[in-house]
Amino acid sequence: MTQPDNFGFTEEAALLKDSARKLLAEKFTADVLHGMVAGDPTPERGPALHWDEALWAQMQELGWGLLAVPEAQGGVGMPLVAVAGLCEELGRAAFPCPLLPTLSASYLLGAAGAGGEAPLEAIAEGATASLAVSDANGSWDLAQTPVECIDGKLNGTACFVQDIGKVSHLLVCARNGDTTGLYWLAVDAPGVDVQADAIVDLSRDQGRVVFAGVEAMQVCADASAAFARAMPAIWTLYAADMVGAGEWQLQTTVDYANQRQQFDRPLGFFQAVKHQLVDVMVDIDRAKSLVYSAACAWDTEPEEAARYAHMAQSAASDMAASASSRSVQCHGGIGFTWECFVHLFFKRQKHSQMLWGDGPWHRARLASIVMG
Amino acid sequence: MSADQQKDTPEQAEFRAHAQAWLAENTPEPPTVRLPQSPLEIMTTDQLSYLQAWQKSAYDAGLVGCDYPVEVGGGGRQNCQRIANEEMRRARTPFMPNVIGLGMAAPTVFYHAQEELKQRLLPKLFSGEDIWCQGFSEPGAGSDLASVQTFAERKGDKWVINGHKVWTSLAHFAEWMILLLRTDKSVKHDGLSYFVVPIKSALGKGVTVRPLIKITGETGFNEVIFEDLEVDDSYRLDELGKGWQVAMTTLAHERGAGELVTPSSGGMKSESTHNTSAMALIDLARRTARNGATAAEDPLVRDQIMQQLIREQGLAENNRRGRVTELLDHPMRLALQNKLLMSEIMQDSAGIAMDIEGAAASLYLGDGSAPDGGQWPMAYMNSFGFTIAAGTSEVQRNILGERVLGMAKSK
Ligand SMILES: Cc1cc2nc3c(=O)[nH]c(=O)nc-3n(C[C@H](O)[C@H](O)[C@H](O)COP(=O)(O)OP(=O)(O)OC[C@H]3O[C@@H](n4cnc5c(N)ncnc54)[C@H](O)[C@@H]3O)c2cc1C
């Protein structure tokens, strides 16, 4: 093993994580989130875009958006382990912003080599971006990329594009003859039609993007190597977000269990409640430790990164399911109401849980690595 | 150079080099007797003497008790036991037989005994010459440990002990017992006192040890009956009525949350010992046929094995994260999970192995065609020893909920 004992988690990383936690705890509590995103409960509410652009701008000033941009392109070039720490805090607040997609794009661009430099410089200067890589089934397999590049122009429809209403740019996977390349363009480029999705999660937005003969800058002609390198980082970030959200769910539910009295005792006295919440804690801790090891593997032994990222995503995704169900159940009737904040996290977790492959999917991939 | 090594202080680096060099020369040959799956099931003197010889030589080489002071027979080092354990694990040495002595009795004696008693007891404990056992549980007091009834009555500077302990691992070999008993019947916790008692020398003279047979058919634990056993007051640890506090030191170490690291087993792999890791499951699945293919090709089996692999890796990464203070919200949160997770992972692995074996899981040790010599069904049964002993999984969940999450105490 060549990994450092402390995951490479430096004082600087601890500072970043800490300050994010404080900032969000002060400015973005769950009631602020609820007030912002939960205005329209009707099931037919349609697509919505709610976020605090001013607070996000403040975070951009702190340099969060360019953490994954290498120094040579004007960024900070933080190790993934530090970035994962930050994403955990974002998840803890379920903060609606385009950080995860922008970081995802940064890792993919960084892995793409020389062609990725110009877009990375744009991100360093404040551009935000999302990945347009999935088809209507949610597959991001390069062989099934839903967009095609013909005579240098993009055509097709990419689905499940994250936070599409918040980003300025897109990083697209498009077939180009025998290979699949990466393309960079502004969301408002001519020929791009964004159709927002009506989604369950209130803390994010999502959409499909229709490309009709769109000009785009080619980042690389063959994205396979860049994809293989970047996906473990992307999985790790979303897993970190789930871990943070899980911590909120646990803490909130424990607080409730300590305060709500039934049968003349606080709920937490009863083992049917206590043991469930302990199991959620155990699930969170496993996922969290695996997230840090996955990030550390990506930073220090890239050839092992996929193996560890599959473990982290599988653990985080399963934990998200258990933390969600237990948080609603242990709140009882109140937990089933729109007013109670737990549904916000319940929905964000469901979204994250399935976005980049669920537990069984990651275990199937892990099994092919480990068992052939 | 491994990452463990990069972080060593010069003193630790020197110690690690010593351990590596010594282990390269001195890791014992596999035994000719069948070894049990853990120290808790040592049944025969043949098994014991092989393991005792190993503990003695490791102690002489400075790999046991290294973080205890020299005056009590330790190595006088700082944070070196962890290194010795890492290197022993790497070298796949056998486990140490004096598991209760090293894990529970040593730290308790060290923190609570008079200096003279420490110096007398600890060297032979570390070397494995004296095997120790733990007399806590009674027929009427298991999870509710503070309700033990074994009673000591004062007679001058002696105590006269009467009572009944049960499930006492290794009592059949033990020279010494750590003993929690009652010295005052009028109060619960504050009526307890804690003693170390020489039991072997008292066999037939106030102490009776009777073997109990486990569900595996093995022996390894016992019931111990005290009838008017006289012991000297100098064998009392800490103050009268402070037995519960002393027991907390024992339990913290028993559950892996104590400060003094226990010299651990090496995890030797040979035909006579058994490991239940996910890698062993993969190996088994590759050798087992199902529906015209190997079990290793069955998607459900693959998923189950990967779940186990992820749990094992998660536990290893928990232990690693447990040493990074910036990544911990509560100092005991991870340490207190260790025993619960380890025992449940082992149980589930063995259960999955039996599912993989299918009908062949019915074959036990005495059957020549039993896969892996019948070790999996035995491991499955033995695993309940770990989810019950040292605080059941339910009790561990109570402790985690109460001490870490701050929920109200269950009775
Ligand atoms: C292999 C093995 C080795 C052992 N070695 C030793 C030894 O060397 N020395 C020694 O002193 N003891 C030893 N023990 C005893 C062990 O510590 C006890 O068995 C254990 O503490 C449980 O107590 P009990 O058996 O009385 O079960 P009980 O306490 O009667 O429990 C029975 C069931 O009820 C559950 N339960 C009990 N109380 C609660 C509660 N408050 N909340 C929820 N569930 C509860 C338990 O989890 C368990 O499932 C050993 C046991 C085993 C299996």
Side-chain angles (χ1 to χ4, degrees), chain B residues 13-91:
Chain B
E14 189 211 306
F15 177 74
R16 188 187 294 277
H18 156 72
Q20 281 171 348
W22 186 82
L23 286 165
E25 294 291 319
N26 295 286
T27 297
E29 292 294 310
T32 47
V33 293
R34 182 185 75 82
L35 282 189
Q37 292 184 336
S38 89
L40 295 185
E41 296 98 34
I42 302 173
M43 293 191 284
T44 67
T45 43
D46 282 351
Q47 294 172 332
L48 181 67
S49 21
Y50 172 84
L51 293 166
Q52 237 171 344
W54 155 242
Q55 183 172 330
K56 172 83 167 69
S57 68
Y59 174 65
D60 290 343
L63 303 188
V64 179
C66 8
D67 296 341
Y68 286 82
V70 180
E71 302 79 66
V72 299
R77 298 177 186 277
Q78 301 279 315
N79 298 322
C80 281
Q81 190 64 57
R82 187 161 73 78
I83 292 169
N85 290 356
E86 280 163 14
E87 295 305 329
M88 287 193 282
R89 217 168 297 135
R90 212 162 279 159

Side-chain angles (χ1 to χ4, degrees), chain A residues 195-232:
Chain A
Q195 302 170 356
D197 295 340
I199 61 175
V200 178
D201 183 3
L202 300 168
S203 68
R204 289 190 173 105
D205 78 281
Q206 176 182 286
R208 68 200 76 196
V209 184
V210 183
F211 300 93
V214 180
E215 284 239 36
M217 185 193 129
Q218 188 180 66
V219 172
C220 65
D222 181 358
S224 47
F227 233 73
R229 163 95 176 112
M231 275 324 288

Side-chain angles (χ1 to χ4, degrees), chain B residues 292-305:
Chain B
T294 69
E297 291 164 84
D298 183 313
L300 182 60
V301 171
R302 290 164 78 85
D303 189 74
Q304 287 179 320
I305 297 178

Side-chain angles (χ1 to χ4, degrees), chain A residues 271 275, chain B residues 40-41 100 104 133-145 165-170 214 221 254-255 382 384-395 398 410-411:
Chain A
Q271 289 169 339
H275 289 190
Chain B
L40 295 185
E41 296 98 34
I100 289 168
M104 287 88 98
C133 68
Q134 177 190 28
F136 277 23
S137 307
E138 297 181 4
S143 300
D144 185 11
L145 181 59
K165 294 287 172 180
V166 74
W167 308 302
T168 323
S169 299
L170 293 166
K214 302 186 173 188
F221 60 15
E254 180 165 16
R255 292 161 188 177
N382 264 332
F384 286 85
F386 300 102
T387 53
I388 294 172
T392 65
S393 292
E394 291 73 24
V395 166
N398 286 349
S410 315
K411 288 282 179 238

Side-chain angles (χ1 to χ4, degrees), chain A:
Chain A
M1 145 158 147
T2 60
Q3 296 192 2
D5 244 9
N6 69 346
F7 308 95
F9 194 80
T10 56
E11 250 175 70
E12 205 185 3
L15 210 69
L16 174 69
K17 189 174 190 309
D18 244 40
S19 57
R21 185 158 171 175
K22 286 192 187 116
L23 179 68
L24 288 161
E26 188 191 323
K27 303 223 162 134
F28 206 77
T29 48
D31 59 326
V32 174
L33 174 67
H34 202 268
M36 180 181 298
V37 303
D40 183 1
T42 51
E44 298 81 10
R45 65 183 170 274
L49 176 67
H50 301 290
W51 60 309
D52 183 343
E53 281 190 73
L55 188 51
W56 168 245
Q58 199 179 329
M59 290 166 180
Q60 280 288 56
E61 261 161 48
L62 291 169
W64 292 2
L66 42 107
L67 288 176
V69 176
E71 284 177 59
Q73 278 77 53
V76 183
M78 277 282 218
L80 182 58
V81 77
V83 180
L86 175 66
C87 292
E88 191 184 318
E89 297 310 325
L90 241 69
R92 191 193 295 268
F95 184 62
C97 73
L99 188 69
L100 278 174
T102 302
L103 291 169
S104 304
S106 307
Y107 286 116
L108 195 47
L109 287 165
E117 287 170 6
L120 281 168
E121 281 161 15
I123 292 176
E125 279 160 21
T128 51
S130 191
L131 301 182
V133 299
S134 298
D135 70 9
N137 296 317
S139 164
W140 61 91
D141 184 342
L142 290 187
Q144 296 168 30
T145 295
V147 183
E148 201 165 4
C149 182
I150 303 164
D151 301 330
K153 304 230 157 77
L154 303 182
N155 288 284
T157 303
C159 299
F160 307 107
V161 181
Q162 295 306 298
D163 298 297
I164 178 70
K166 308 185 189 90
V167 295
S168 61
H169 286 74
L170 287 170
L171 186 57
V172 188
C173 272
R175 248 173 307 116
N176 190 353
D178 290 341
T179 60
T180 296
L182 280 179
Y183 299 83
W184 173 258
L185 72 158
V187 175
D188 57 10
V192 176
D193 179 28
V194 173
Q195 302 170 356
D197 295 340
I199 61 175
V200 178
D201 183 3
L202 300 168
S203 68
R204 289 190 173 105
D205 78 281
Q206 176 182 286
R208 68 200 76 196
V209 184
V210 183
F211 300 93
V214 180
E215 284 239 36
M217 185 193 129
Q218 188 180 66
V219 172
C220 65
D222 181 358
S224 47
F227 233 73
R229 163 95 176 112
M231 275 324 288
I234 296 169
W235 290 325
T236 303
L237 297 182
Y238 278 87
D241 186 277
M242 285 188 267
V243 165
E247 288 277 25
W248 185 92
Q249 294 175 304
L250 174 65
Q251 192 53 54
T252 303
T253 313
V254 165
D255 290 348
Y256 186 73
N258 285 342
Q259 158 242 313
R260 167 86 170 164
Q261 304 266 331
Q262 289 294 295
F263 303 98
D264 306 321
R265 310 246 187 209
L267 294 179
F269 166 85
F270 299 100
Q271 289 169 339
V273 175
K274 181 183 285 170
H275 289 190
Q276 289 187 23
L277 294 179
V278 166
D279 285 339
V280 169
M281 170 173 75
V282 162
D283 289 351
I284 290 172
D285 277 315
R286 173 186 306 120
K288 188 188 289 201
S289 299
L290 287 168
V291 160
Y292 285 97
S293 87
C296 181
W298 197 86
D299 287 331
T300 61
E301 41 179 5
E303 66 287 356
E304 294 289 345
R307 170 199 296 258
Y308 286 99
H310 287 312
M311 295 202 221
Q313 256 282 345
S314 161
S317 177
D318 287 1
M319 172 280 290
S322 69
S324 292
S325 83
R326 293 308 89 196
S327 67
V328 172
Q329 184 72 19
C330 294
H331 274 80
I334 287 174
F336 194 62
T337 65
W338 187 266
E339 288 107 288
C340 178
F341 304 151
V342 293
H343 72 101
L344 296 170
F345 286 79
F346 178 95
K347 292 165 184 173
R348 185 180 177 91
Q349 292 286 52
K350 279 288 160 212
H351 187 116
S352 305
Q353 199 188 326
M354 295 171 297
L355 184 60
W356 294 111
D358 60 6
W361 187 86
H362 281 280
R363 289 194 291 278
R365 304 296 288 241
L366 178 64
S368 8
I369 296 174
V370 178
M371 301 175 72

